[in-house]
Amino acid sequence: MQEFDVLIVGSGHGGAQAAIMLRQLGFAGSVAIVGEEPELPYERPPLSKEYLAGDKPFERLMIRPKKFWNERAVTLLQDRRVTRVDAEEHRVRTEDGEQIGYGTMIWAAGGHARALPCPGADCADVHAVRTRADVDRIMAKLERVERVAVVGGGYIGLEAAAVLTKLGKQVTLFEALPQVLARVAGEQLSRFYEAEHRAHGVDLRLNAQVQAFELNSEGTGLAGVRLTDAEMVAADLAIVGIGIIPAVEPLLAAGATASNGVDVDAQCRTSLPDIFAIGDCAAHRNRFAGGARVRLESVQNANDQATVAAKTIMREDVAYEAVPWFWSNQYDLRLQTVGLSIGHDDMVVRGKTEDRSFSVVYLKDGRVIALDCVNATKDYVQGRKLVEAGAQLAPADLADTSRPLKELV
Ligand code: FAD
């Protein structure tokens, strides 16, 4: 049985960063990353952006080249899915029955794309956008595809819709709720993105519930999407972007405390001995969410939690307190967000949405809690300080574009 001082499960952003940090901090023990994907650790955000568009080859998505992992003596165990954790024995088991021992484990397994629970969802023309393999399958078909149905108006669905429209496909996007980005943004931003997508030719349907994916008469491929109001919208390919299910089953089976994902403390420790959890699967108390337990799906969160776990292993006294940030690219629009807008009770638009360069500032109890900045990098950079400080500012001052945000701090 192989044994490592630190075993990292998951070779995504969090897993890679944890190994990088451990070595950077001088950790001299053995480190391995075990991951179910066959690739070396790679960046996920370009999958729905430059990679799908064909603008960036896969080699440029690598978080580090192979040489880096060799030089740092980080063992990469690819193509292996961990199916069982024996927390007492400090051992995991993979799908193939291989056992791997560890001193400390960092669980960084992210999540798996949520499937739409409806008839036809297992059709080969219905795709997720979570892994390189998912996107390669889509790209291999694109030449023969004219009409694409995108289910879900979150960031991934919207980004995919933007890319596919640019590639000349006829895109219909179905969002079950009355607005896109409903989970993460205020109404102003949602309406802006809805208008942009429509202006670029996307047939965007709100309050649209998919009932089934219908197959062609030969049963060999997708014919279209049937909505709950009985309308049938023709499509050759469908993309489902309706969120993830945190990949934590083996931890739950081992008895870890869990709510939405696996619960971790401020040092990213789970309730199991010597097991940390980080990234998309880790439910943590976040001061930018008013101390509520949340799971954040962002590169920032995965990287910063990886750093906290690595420092804790190195016996540094740290706690996870990083300011949340995120970005999304759609058409020529670069959205940058800082803070968490959940629970806001007021919002101020800074600039004009017609100019396609503006920011939405979110407030709670008179304090700035988040900003969504569209083609407004200055506001994003300067607004971070307002979020960090929980600045109490008059809405009129925030709306005044003649005054840079840094002057208001
Ligand atoms: P992941 O990066 O998902 O890595 C987890 C890894 O663990 C995966 O390789 C998975 O296959 C593996 N795994 C799962 N279960 C097991 C198991 N049992 N055994 C072994 N391995 C396992 N974030 C942003 O901040 N900005 C963006 O613009 C952005 N765009 C995105 C676009 C797309 C298409 C997607 C999918 C995500 C995007 N994100 C973006 C989110 C961001 O990529 C994630 O938040 C980040 O990757 C989380 O890192 P992680 O390490 O927690 O999980």
Side-chain angles (χ1 to χ4, degrees), residues 46-94:
L47 292 181
S48 52
K49 308 178 181 73
E50 307 94 314
Y51 186 64
L52 178 62
D55 292 340
K56 219 179 202 184
F58 186 71
E59 300 72 66
R60 288 187 46 211
L61 269 50
M62 292 297 150
I63 291 177
R64 291 289 188 279
K66 192 166 195 313
K67 191 166 151 260
F68 174 93
W69 303 112
N70 289 340
E71 284 172 358
R72 303 298 188 288
V74 174
T75 305
L76 295 176
L77 304 169
Q78 292 135 275
D79 235 337
R80 289 169 170 88
R81 182 182 172 83
V82 171
T83 50
R84 199 188 141 101
V85 171
D86 190 336
E88 289 307 320
E89 299 291 323
H90 284 55
R91 227 175 12 211
V92 302
R93 187 193 289 264
T94 69

Side-chain angles (χ1 to χ4, degrees), residues 5-282:
D5 295 314
V6 175
L7 179 69
I8 299 166
V9 179
S11 60
H13 282 273
Q17 178 65 13
I20 292 168
M21 263 326 278
L22 280 169
R23 289 300 185 225
Q24 208 167 302
L25 294 168
F27 182 75
S30 55
V31 177
I33 304 178
V34 53
E36 67 184 346
E37 292 188 75
E39 294 88 3
L40 296 177
Y42 64 89
E43 290 173 24
R44 227 164 272 285
L47 292 181
S48 52
K49 308 178 181 73
E50 307 94 314
Y51 186 64
L52 178 62
D55 292 340
K56 219 179 202 184
F58 186 71
E59 300 72 66
R60 288 187 46 211
L61 269 50
M62 292 297 150
I63 291 177
R64 291 289 188 279
K66 192 166 195 313
K67 191 166 151 260
F68 174 93
W69 303 112
N70 289 340
E71 284 172 358
R72 303 298 188 288
V74 174
T75 305
L76 295 176
L77 304 169
Q78 292 135 275
D79 235 337
R80 289 169 170 88
R81 182 182 172 83
V82 171
T83 50
R84 199 188 141 101
V85 171
D86 190 336
E88 289 307 320
E89 299 291 323
H90 284 55
R91 227 175 12 211
V92 302
R93 187 193 289 264
T94 69
E95 204 163 27
D96 296 339
E98 186 184 353
Q99 301 209 47
I100 310 170
Y102 62 84
T104 302
M105 176 158 69
I106 302 178
W107 188 267
H112 296 115
R114 190 181 287 278
L116 207 62
C118 73
D122 57 351
C123 168
D125 292 326
V126 177
H127 298 267
V129 183
R130 182 74 197 170
T131 63
R132 181 222 185 159
D134 291 336
V135 179
D136 282 355
R137 277 192 287 269
I138 295 170
M139 289 169 84
K141 288 182 185 166
L142 276 186
E143 217 168 280
R144 288 172 281 127
V145 162
E146 270 179 36
R147 297 157 305 184
V148 180
V150 176
V151 184
Y155 285 121
I156 290 176
L158 292 176
E159 288 182 347
V163 169
L164 294 167
T165 304
K166 252 176 101 179
L167 293 176
K169 309 300 170 195
Q170 205 180 301
V171 177
T172 309
L173 188 143
F174 304 96
E175 167 54 59
L177 296 172
Q179 67 184 81
V180 299
L181 300 175
R183 241 176 5 109
V184 288
E187 196 176 343
Q188 299 271 9
L189 197 83
S190 302
R191 298 295 173 232
F192 171 78
Y193 274 101
E194 288 159 11
E196 280 291 330
H197 280 274
R198 287 187 170 128
H200 281 88
V202 174
D203 178 3
L204 193 143
R205 315 275 190 102
L206 301 173
N207 300 304
Q209 302 244 17
V210 173
Q211 188 171 55
F213 293 103
E214 301 231 341
L215 303 191
N216 56 24
S217 51
E218 302 86 47
T220 51
L222 189 68
V225 170
R226 176 80 61 193
L227 301 178
T228 45
D229 66 3
E231 185 185 355
M232 163 83 170
V233 179
D236 316 311
L237 182 141
I239 288 179
V240 179
I242 56 166
I244 63 164
I245 298 172
V248 292
E249 302 85 347
L251 290 186
L252 303 195
T257 305
S259 41
N260 164 24
V262 63
D263 289 357
V264 297
D265 66 12
Q267 284 71 41
C268 300
R269 292 190 205 96
T270 67
S271 60
L272 299 172
D274 303 312
I275 301 182
F276 293 77
I278 60 173
D280 282 11
C281 66

